[in-house]
Amino acid sequence: MSAPARTVVAVSGAGPSAALAPPADVAFRPLRVALPGDQAYWTVLDGEYRVVELADRFLRDLRFGADRSESTTKAYAGELALFLSWAARSGRELERAAVDLSRFVLLLRTTPIERRGRGYGEVRSAGRINHILAVVREFYKHAAAHRSVDPSVIAALYEVGDDRFLPAELRGEDGALRYRVRPRHKLRATRAARPRVARQEEWEALLEAATRWRDRFLLVLLWFSGLRIGEALGLRRSDLHLMASASELGCPVAGAHLHVVPRANANGAAAKSRRERVVPLAHYVVSYYELYLDEREHCRAALDCDFVFVNLFHAPLGAPMRPGRASQLFRSLSARAGLGRRVTPHMLRHAAGSAMMEAGGLDVAQALLGHASISSTQIYLHPSPERQREAVERIARQRRPAAGRRL
Ligand SMILES: [Zn+2]
């Protein structure tokens, strides 16, 4: 029996058995890799800026084998970097790190987030830790499948049980023994965290602070359509069907609307959902688009670009707007508007989601937001005390006994 060589956190150029003696401050980090043909994914570098081979293969397969989005590989790379940093700092090889995973969980539960960004300085929620652990498990499964780690590590990560002690009615119909696999390390996440929602007055203040029609259109579009920022930045002019009828274009959808089309974009923007969807647009939104087009026409470099959102005021002029530029825009608008917090594009999406829910119900909101599962939409349910009272009063009016029968 040939057990694979014990794997250290292997780095490119070094064989799998080359022991990496990490310096105490070793920190792994995610890195974006752009490939020819507008494709990109994220990988992980070790403390010496070398590509971590195993992580790289996992992330590349995820992006190009499993067709996951670039932003998914970005999130995964960040979380893997965290795990690999812990393993290397504590001198554990990969197999040992899997066995000692509960130590990593403890670290996650007790140390605040060090990377600048969402939740910086706060302790991670159970849901966020579970996501990190899910990524770690996927990484090990991938490595085990490729025999890069001893497949026995999987037993350290998963508990395997069978159904022989379940009551007969809960067992499989054919009477065959079934196995259940469940992760050993999982925190109880009490409820989905309340999404942070932009308030009406915040959005209006941003709109007032904006000085350009492009930025105003972006604000109006996100606020009313609830698009993800990646979806908005990935829009092509040909995705916008603004006439009462687009049948000449071969599109059967009536009324002004846009198409969210999943595709790889040069600007790194990605539609998260892999299904195309149609989002109807109110006339109000269309009018902002027309004002923006007037402004856009003055930028000669933008004339040939099919993307809706392009750089009009910063180099490279006429190039598709990148997600980083949009984040910057929201940061500076929030500051200029004097808001006490930074409002993000995603907070506009949450506001749109709540409004859609109120106006159209759960199923309408799910379709408009492009959620694959209704449970993602459910976090937009925020029954206010007023609505609850209203419901109780309405039921009381409708269902009490007729006046003559009152006791
Ligand atoms: Zn259409």
Side-chain angles (χ1 to χ4, degrees):
M1 175 175 152
S2 65
R6 310 211 74 189
T7 315
V8 219
V9 177
V11 295
S12 70
S17 60
L20 177 68
D25 64 337
V26 64
F28 289 62
R29 64 202 77 212
L31 176 82
R32 183 173 188 266
V33 182
L35 300 174
D38 296 342
Q39 302 271 34
Y41 74 104
W42 286 69
T43 190
V44 179
L45 300 185
D46 69 9
E48 322 244 273
Y49 297 95
R50 289 170 301 195
V51 170
V52 181
E53 197 80 11
L54 280 185
D56 187 66
R57 214 187 311 153
F58 167 62
L59 292 162
R60 246 185 303 138
D61 282 357
L62 199 68
R63 178 75 183 85
F64 303 112
D67 194 27
R68 303 295 293 274
S69 70
E70 182 192 330
S71 58
T72 300
T73 64
K74 181 182 183 183
Y76 278 38
E79 298 185 340
L80 265 186
L82 201 62
F83 172 69
L84 295 172
S85 298
W86 165 75
R89 272 183 192 141
S90 61
R92 288 177 168 88
E93 343 132 314
L94 280 182
E95 279 87 354
R96 190 72 233 165
V99 171
D100 294 345
L101 196 62
S102 56
R103 304 294 296 270
F104 177 57
V105 177
L106 183 66
L107 179 89
L108 291 178
R109 295 188 75 157
T110 51
T111 40
I113 295 168
E114 290 167 21
R115 275 181 74 84
R116 299 228 163 234
R118 189 162 69 90
Y120 172 73
E122 293 168 19
V123 178
R124 290 174 184 81
S125 68
R128 204 161 167 184
I129 292 175
N130 282 336
H131 189 267
I132 297 173
L133 295 175
V135 171
V136 168
R137 283 191 295 268
E138 287 307 307
F139 167 66
Y140 273 104
K141 278 199 289 190
H142 185 271
H146 291 81
R147 295 260 154 184
S148 302
V149 296
D150 193 315
S152 67
V153 295
I154 300 303
L157 301 172
Y158 290 94
E159 203 168 29
V160 181
D162 58 51
D163 65 356
R164 101 183 64 179
F165 302 112
L166 290 179
E169 55 272 24
L170 293 179
R171 265 184 261 148
E173 281 177 12
D174 50 7
L177 202 61
R178 281 176 208 286
Y179 291 91
R180 299 173 294 132
V181 179
R182 65 163 177 237
R184 283 187 196 277
H185 308 87
K186 190 159 187 181
L187 302 188
R188 200 173 319 144
T190 38
R191 59 186 159 86
R194 275 284 173 87
R196 295 192 309 152
V197 182
R199 293 188 296 272
Q200 174 84 26
E201 61 270 23
E202 287 177 318
W203 173 71
E204 286 177 18
L206 293 177
L207 201 57
E208 258 171 54
T211 54
R212 282 136 183 186
W213 287 108
R214 181 199 62 190
D215 305 343
R216 291 181 187 129
F217 172 55
L218 181 62
L219 285 164
V220 168
L221 179 69
L222 295 176
W223 181 254
F224 288 99
S225 73
L227 291 192
R228 300 176 176 96
I229 185 66
E231 292 170 340
L233 299 184
L235 283 175
R236 310 297 161 85
R237 285 189 286 180
S238 52
D239 294 337
L240 270 57
H241 292 168
L242 306 179
M243 305 295 178
S245 162
S247 57
E248 278 175 40
L249 301 167
C251 172
V253 181
H257 62 275
L258 61 81
H259 294 256
V260 177
V261 185
R263 48 164 103 83
N265 290 314
N267 58 350
K272 188 179 175 194
S273 168
R274 269 176 282 168
R275 286 170 308 158
E276 182 172 335
R277 74 179 190 278
V278 169
V279 180
L281 293 175
H283 175 71
Y284 182 74
V285 179
V286 175
S287 65
Y288 272 86
Y289 181 59
E290 282 160 1
L291 290 161
Y292 164 46
L293 282 187
D294 289 341
E295 179 182 75
R296 195 182 187 281
E297 268 171 22
H298 289 101
C299 177
R300 295 183 58 84
L303 293 180
D304 292 332
C305 182
D306 191 35
F307 280 79
V308 171
F309 291 101
V310 291
N311 293 338
L312 298 180
F313 316 101
H314 296 94
L317 282 179
M321 200 173 167
R322 297 189 59 93
R325 171 64 66 190
S327 307
Q328 232 170 23
L329 173 67
F330 272 78
R331 207 168 10 237
S332 67
L333 286 181
S334 300
R336 212 180 312 152
L339 303 180
R341 60 176 184 169
R342 180 159 75 92
V343 172
T344 65
H346 213 71
M347 289 159 72
L348 299 192
R349 175 169 162 82
H350 281 302
S354 298
M356 288 166 182
M357 187 84 78
E358 294 257 342
L362 193 62
D363 53 338
V364 167
Q366 180 192 12
L368 288 172
L369 294 168
H371 284 150
S373 151
I374 199 106
S375 63
S376 308
T377 319
Q378 272 164 346
I379 60 169
Y380 294 90
L381 288 168
H382 312 132
S384 63
E386 294 75 33
R387 270 179 57 216
Q388 294 178 48
R389 167 150 300 280
E390 220 177 270
V392 167
E393 300 281 3
R394 196 164 54 230
I395 294 168
R397 276 195 304 276
Q398 290 166 351
R399 310 188 84 171
R400 66 188 174 198
R405 297 191 51 216
R406 199 170 296 162
L407 299 175

